[in-house]
Amino acid sequence: MDSLDLQVLTEARRWFAEGRRVWLVTVLETWGSAPRPPGALLALRDDGQVVGSVSGGCVEDDLIDRVRHGERVATPALVNYGVSKEEAARFGLPCGGNLRLLQEPLSSVAWIDELLARTARHELVARRLDLSSGSVTLETASRGEAFSFDGHTLRALFGPRWRLVMIGAGQLTRVLAQMALALDFEVICCDPREEYHLGWDVPGCRFSTAMPDDLVVELALDPHSAVVALTHDPKLDDLALLEALKSPAFYVGALGSRDNTARRKERLALFDLSPGEIDRLHGPVGLHLGARTPAEIAVSILAELIAVRHGVDLAQKKTGSAVPPLRAAELQQA
């Protein structure tokens, strides 16, 4: 999920604690080319201040105007935009798109407290809202579930941010960390070598000086986690990869040539890994883009991460790569 939703809830909770009246607005359904998907969330304060987005256009302005002119719903209420081409154009919905929203008053933040605590523990949580009563309950969710609305009950998913763990703090890692942060990953860099970690200065990236395999075990990697080994040092890379390949991490990769990858797989086979677990290793890491500079290589790595995350064909892999051009869904089932 996008951490923007968690930011919306965090800000809504703060406003509520300050004594302000707050409404949550959720995208229920879209038709045509509406800009935001079902489940997108916005919080609206009684003075018109907003956080989040449901359209990226003039819909937010209309919601603000309604509140400022006294239209303040006391129970969950449906709001429709773009029922005609003229209205769609007025509210900035392209190609005649339509947008159906749910606006609800925030009457308690206890469920927000629990939801934020659970997602911080890397749990995937579903929020169930009963429209008739306005009651909210939280449920454990499973990966692969989607937002749903049946006319009476809304069920929205909230989960941990996608997490990238990088082994080694070289120049490539620095660029990769900055790009991954821009893509909304939670980024962790691990390097116990003093000459590397003393100069690390990437804001927003957590740095660990633990042994990489110890950190991988400590993090208890989940299906929202990715691990990329970048040191070229088997003592650091291989043990971390050993633990990562046994985990549910959605992506495990290592920098190196095809020959180095083949030798790495031979070393990993000496440990308690199954052939299927070893075959999960992405190597050479990244898509084949002709990348040469650290920034270009970082783009190729993140392009592969995003493709695997979204189940897109890995068509641009080098011939002879450890992971051949297969569907990402097949990779996750291996």
Side-chain angles (χ1 to χ4, degrees):
M1 64 154 294
D2 191 329
S3 67
L4 175 61
D5 292 334
L6 299 182
Q7 295 171 17
V8 168
L9 293 179
T10 299
E11 191 69 0
R13 178 178 63 174
R14 184 177 71 83
W15 289 343
F16 188 87
E18 293 173 350
R20 309 304 296 254
R21 295 183 65 186
V22 182
W23 291 265
L24 297 179
V25 182
T26 305
V27 176
L28 295 179
E29 296 173 292
T30 64
W31 298 269
S33 301
R36 296 284 284 154
L41 190 64
L42 172 146
L44 174 62
R45 203 167 73 177
D46 52 17
D47 61 352
Q49 188 169 333
V50 298
V51 61
S53 174
V54 292
S55 78
C58 298
V59 168
E60 285 83 356
D61 292 341
D62 185 67
L63 290 168
I64 292 169
D65 191 62
R66 291 182 183 214
V67 166
R68 285 178 172 170
H69 286 81
E71 186 178 321
R72 304 182 175 193
V73 300
T75 58
L78 301 179
V79 186
N80 294 312
Y81 288 95
V83 294
S84 67
K85 288 187 177 180
E86 292 75 18
E87 189 177 68
R90 174 189 168 198
F91 290 112
L93 302 176
C95 304
N98 296 313
L99 189 62
R100 191 182 191 194
L101 308 176
L102 175 70
Q103 185 174 357
E104 58 178 297
L106 185 62
S107 57
S108 170
V109 295
W111 66 267
I112 297 181
D113 292 338
E114 181 183 350
L115 187 150
L116 293 176
R118 291 175 64 175
T119 55
R121 296 195 297 267
H122 263 255
E123 295 182 30
L124 187 60
V125 182
R127 172 191 177 235
R128 182 183 293 274
L129 169 68
D130 181 272
L131 267 64
S132 60
S133 65
S135 64
V136 173
T137 55
L138 299 182
E139 306 169 346
T140 298
S142 301
R143 196 163 179 246
E145 292 186 64
F147 174 88
S148 64
F149 176 66
D150 62 8
H152 306 283
T153 304
L154 173 151
R155 194 171 187 270
L157 301 181
F158 295 85
R161 293 172 68 185
W162 296 93
R163 177 169 56 182
L164 174 60
V165 182
M166 305 173 301
I167 311 303
Q171 185 181 17
L172 169 59
T173 311
R174 184 182 303 274
V175 178
L176 181 61
Q178 293 167 337
M179 291 184 180
L181 288 167
L183 289 169
D184 201 37
F185 279 86
E186 174 191 353
V187 183
I188 302 170
C189 179
C190 179
D191 199 324
R193 301 170 297 181
E194 182 174 327
E195 61 271 24
Y196 284 88
H197 69 71
L198 288 179
W200 185 263
D201 60 351
V202 179
C205 173
R206 171 184 164 190
F207 196 97
S208 172
T209 58
M211 289 302 294
D213 55 319
D214 291 338
L215 177 66
V216 169
V217 172
E218 176 192 329
L219 290 173
L221 302 177
D222 61 12
H224 285 75
S225 302
V227 176
V228 180
L230 302 167
T231 73
H232 293 291
D233 185 344
K235 297 188 299 295
L236 298 177
D237 285 347
D238 287 5
L239 291 178
L241 293 171
L242 172 67
E243 298 297 340
L245 290 168
K246 293 188 291 186
S247 78
F250 80 92
Y251 181 95
V252 181
L255 189 67
S257 67
R258 281 165 286 184
D259 288 342
N260 285 338
T261 298
R263 289 193 291 270
R264 177 179 285 113
K265 294 182 74 173
E266 291 174 358
R267 294 194 300 270
L268 291 172
L270 301 175
F271 296 92
D272 58 337
L273 288 176
S274 69
E277 289 171 331
I278 294 175
D279 287 344
R280 294 183 59 221
L281 178 67
H282 291 258
V285 70
L287 298 183
H288 181 37
L289 307 179
R292 296 182 179 181
T293 67
E296 291 175 345
I297 296 170
V299 168
S300 76
I301 293 172
L302 287 170
E304 185 168 59
L305 275 173
I306 294 168
V308 172
R309 188 173 77 178
H310 292 303
V312 174
D313 290 352
L314 298 181
Q316 264 180 258
K317 291 296 293 185
K318 283 185 178 179
T319 302
S321 296
V323 177
L326 293 174
R327 287 196 61 79
E330 295 173 8
L331 298 174
Q332 294 176 345
Q333 294 169 3

